[in-house]
């Protein structure tokens, strides 16, 4: 099975946030022409029998399949219920997925947290892109905010080769959403200009260098994806602040994660972690 045929995986735990993520994943799988695998990880628990956990998992997965049938009745779905620590199980499953979709926070943890530890850990370690879905519902009972549909894809890029995977993913995502604009955001400061060997004291020159960097990063892609309207946004100042603000009106915000530092907890940069933690809409974290 090629990467293009691997399923979209959606993780559910019975929380309304995970059901939001499930519905998002179902719609995205339809757009991509991929099957959907629904996963409920049974946590290691000595106080509940395996038989009871299995029964609860079957009920939860059956409800999840029913929800998907309402959103995407022709979508091919399958289910899994491994027993493990959630982040460990999902990271292992990501080896065989084109995309892994999670809610921002599950049933456990503290209500004050904007993102749960399992979602953050999985996004930091998964082998495939991870989408953490936050759609703006007002409370835990699932009362929805005013319904609005946004189509823009926002991609945050750095001035190096790590942006290749981010841009590939963002352009592909934009092609599955007719009429979507792709806003490519590159944050710069005089300090970052100095570190990259650019202008040190001339702000206008540094701004021009940032514009050229964006043009170089995107070279060739507008011709490859002529149906995608591209807006290049070199921004002086905090890239994470710009991305968080942009996420409020984006269908998806795409950021990168460097491979290789997962075991040491270095998978997410400060910009990526801030964006993921505070974003106001779905965020895709792409291994680079």
């Amino acid at each position: 099975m090629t990467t293009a045929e691997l399923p979209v995986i959606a993780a559910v735990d019975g929380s309304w946030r995970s059901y939001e993520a499930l519905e998002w994943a179902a719609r995205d799988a339809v757009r991509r022409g991929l099957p959907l695998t629904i996963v409920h990880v049974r946590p290691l628990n000595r106080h509940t029998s395996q038989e009871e956990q299995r029964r609860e998992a079957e009920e939860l997965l059956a409800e999840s399949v029913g929800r998907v049938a309402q959103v995407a009745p022709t979508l091919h779905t399958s289910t899994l219920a491994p027993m493990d620590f959630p982040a460990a199980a999902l990271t292992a499953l990501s080896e065989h997925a084109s995309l892994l979709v999670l809610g921002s926070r599950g049933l456990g943890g503290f209500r004050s947290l904007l993102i749960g530890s399992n979602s953050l850990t999985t996004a930091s370690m998964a082998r495939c892109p991870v989408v953490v879905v936050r759609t703006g519902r007002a409370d835990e009972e699932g009362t929805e905010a005013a319904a609005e549909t946004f189509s823009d894809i926002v991609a945050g890029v750095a001035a190096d080769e790590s942006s290749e995977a981010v841009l590939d993913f963002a352009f592909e995502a934009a092609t599955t959403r007719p009429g979507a604009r792709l806003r490519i955001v590159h944050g710069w400061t005089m300090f970052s200009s100095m570190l990259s060997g650019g202008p040190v004291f001339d702000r206008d020159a540094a701004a021009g260098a940032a514009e050229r960097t964006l043009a170089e990063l995107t070279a060739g892609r507008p011709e490859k994806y002529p149906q995608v309207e591209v807006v290049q946004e070199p921004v002086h100042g905090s890239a994470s602040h710009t991305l968080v603000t942009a996420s409020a009106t984006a269908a998806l915000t795409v950021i990168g994660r460097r491979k290789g530092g997962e075991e040491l907890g270095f998978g997410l940069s400060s910009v990526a972690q801030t964006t993921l933690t505070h974003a106001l809409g779905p965020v895709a974290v792409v291994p680079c």
Side-chain angles (χ1 to χ4, degrees), residues 79-288:
T79 61
L80 288 172
M83 177 174 285
D84 201 345
F85 295 105
L90 294 173
T91 298
L93 289 170
S94 71
E95 293 268 13
H96 310 288
S98 63
L99 186 67
L100 180 58
V101 183
L102 314 170
S104 59
R105 189 160 59 86
L107 290 172
F110 298 97
R111 291 171 59 93
S112 60
L113 292 178
L114 296 176
I115 184 170
S117 59
N118 286 322
S119 298
L120 187 60
T121 301
T122 304
S124 302
M125 300 182 67
R127 302 294 186 250
C128 71
V130 175
V131 173
V132 178
V133 176
R134 183 185 293 114
T135 59
R137 286 186 174 177
D139 55 45
E140 299 237 350
E141 281 65 49
T143 301
E144 295 190 25
E148 282 189 279
T149 302
F150 303 114
S151 60
D152 281 1
I153 305 296
V154 174
V157 297
D160 56 36
E161 68 280 357
S162 68
S163 296
E164 292 291 321
V166 172
L167 288 170
D168 287 343
F169 184 92
F171 270 96
E172 291 292 341
T175 62
T176 67
R177 298 171 180 269
R181 293 189 311 167
L182 174 55
R183 298 172 55 192
I184 304 175
V185 176
H186 171 56
W188 65 274
T189 63
M190 295 306 297
F191 183 66
S192 66
S193 177
M194 179 187 70
L195 289 179
S196 63
V200 178
F201 301 109
D202 188 333
R203 177 166 171 169
D204 290 339
E211 291 178 1
R212 289 191 296 275
T213 294
L214 269 181
E216 292 168 2
L217 288 172
T218 58
R221 285 189 169 84
E223 291 75 25
K224 183 178 179 181
Y225 302 96
Q227 70 273 45
V228 178
E229 178 186 354
V230 178
V231 180
Q232 298 182 9
E233 300 183 18
V235 177
H236 178 252
S238 168
S240 56
H241 175 76
T242 301
L243 291 170
V244 169
T245 301
S247 71
T249 55
L252 183 65
T253 300
V254 185
I255 56 177
R257 168 180 70 77
R258 295 186 183 277
K259 295 178 183 176
E262 294 91 344
E263 292 81 3
L264 299 175
F266 298 150
L268 292 177
S269 68
S270 59
V271 170
Q273 184 156 339
T274 300
T275 303
L276 183 59
T277 302
H278 296 283
L280 304 172
V283 176
V285 182
V286 180
C288 301

Side-chain angles (χ1 to χ4, degrees), residues 42-60:
R42 293 177 290 156
L44 303 171
N45 187 345
R46 291 182 296 178
H47 303 292
T48 306
S49 69
Q50 289 192 26
E51 184 58 37
E52 183 177 352
Q53 281 194 322
R54 187 178 298 109
R55 177 181 55 78
E56 291 175 350
E58 289 173 353
E59 292 175 355
L60 190 155

Side-chain angles (χ1 to χ4, degrees), residues 10-61:
V12 296
D13 65 359
S15 67
W16 62 260
R17 289 182 181 85
S18 74
Y19 288 138
E20 280 188 332
L22 174 65
E23 293 176 8
W24 193 99
R27 293 187 178 96
D28 199 65
V30 170
R31 282 191 290 266
R32 295 171 181 269
L34 296 173
L36 176 70
T37 299
I38 308 169
V39 176
H40 171 62
V41 181
R42 293 177 290 156
L44 303 171
N45 187 345
R46 291 182 296 178
H47 303 292
T48 306
S49 69
Q50 289 192 26
E51 184 58 37
E52 183 177 352
Q53 281 194 322
R54 187 178 298 109
R55 177 181 55 78
E56 291 175 350
E58 289 173 353
E59 292 175 355
L60 190 155
L61 289 170

